[in-house]
Amino acid sequence: FHSISWPEKERLLATHKIDCVWSGFTVTGREEYYTVLGPYASNAILVVTRKGGKIKRNEDLAGHTLLAQAGSTTESTLGPGGAAAVLGTKIGRIVTSPYISVCVQRLRDGLGDALAVDEDVARAIVQESEGQFVLVPDDPLSHDGLGVGFHPRDKDLRDRVEKVLKMLETEGVCAKLSQRFFGHPNRFHLPGGKP
């Protein structure tokens, strides 16, 4: 496993520096650009903010600085016609970084008012913040599906990975991992599985 600069994912796939993009990879709407496996899980984009701050609901984002990971679905969701339009809110400014850890540090340092991020990551950030951050208790900014992205010519590799994952699901390994890391045995479902 390698930590990558998210905006570099297409180049890294094309140059075979990585074989696939897995962690938090939104496959919804990307089928044209990647060979995809999934979606195997649903995802929502939530808002994290500092405890005791001014942002209590999504509409409070008006005029504030929102942080997001560069090159992510979250960034495009926040753009024109995205979450800002859905919320009827004019977000003050969107500041991005290729690394989510940098976004979290900026929020901690007061260089942003809130962070929009995938649900599982948002919950982990809040849990690890020792009470410094909270989730905005409002509807998610969007919903999409998570999966694995491969280079468009790597259909064979996708099929091999899918075969192994289906075997692990049949053996109950996926349910055990889902329970261990997400507190529910049915967090993930492979294509064709029952949600």
Side-chain angles (χ1 to χ4, degrees), residues 27 108 115 139 188:
V27 296
R108 185 173 285 115
L115 166 63
D139 291 335
F188 299 106

Side-chain angles (χ1 to χ4, degrees), residues 22 37-40 158-175 188-194:
W22 201 315
L37 169 58
Y40 59 70
R158 186 266 322 266
D159 293 345
R160 290 178 8 230
V161 171
E162 183 176 33
K163 181 179 178 182
V164 171
L165 289 177
K166 285 185 176 180
M167 180 184 70
L168 292 173
E169 186 172 53
T170 301
E171 293 174 356
V173 174
C174 292
F188 299 106
H189 297 280
L190 294 171
K194 294 180 181 179

Side-chain angles (χ1 to χ4, degrees), residues 43-152:
N43 181 49
I45 295 174
L46 304 181
V47 178
V48 176
T49 191
R50 287 183 300 280
K51 186 175 183 178
K54 296 179 180 178
I55 299 171
K56 309 293 185 197
R57 300 172 304 174
N58 290 339
E59 65 185 35
D60 296 336
L61 294 171
H64 286 90
T65 299
L66 192 56
L67 302 161
Q69 188 172 27
S72 68
T73 304
T74 302
E75 181 185 20
S76 59
T77 296
L78 298 173
V86 171
L87 294 169
T89 296
K90 182 172 171 75
I91 296 170
R93 187 168 68 126
I94 299 167
V95 176
T96 63
S97 169
Y99 301 98
I100 198 67
S101 59
V102 173
C103 294
V104 172
Q105 189 59 50
R106 286 177 176 165
L107 182 62
R108 185 173 285 115
D109 293 342
L111 301 175
D113 301 301
L115 166 63
V117 67
D118 290 341
E119 179 178 8
D120 292 329
V121 177
R123 294 187 189 287
I125 289 168
V126 169
Q127 183 177 358
E128 294 168 10
S129 76
E130 300 178 351
Q132 187 176 6
F133 300 141
V134 295
L135 289 174
V136 173
D138 208 339
D139 291 335
L141 297 181
S142 73
H143 292 275
D144 50 44
L146 297 179
V148 187
F150 300 86
H151 189 275

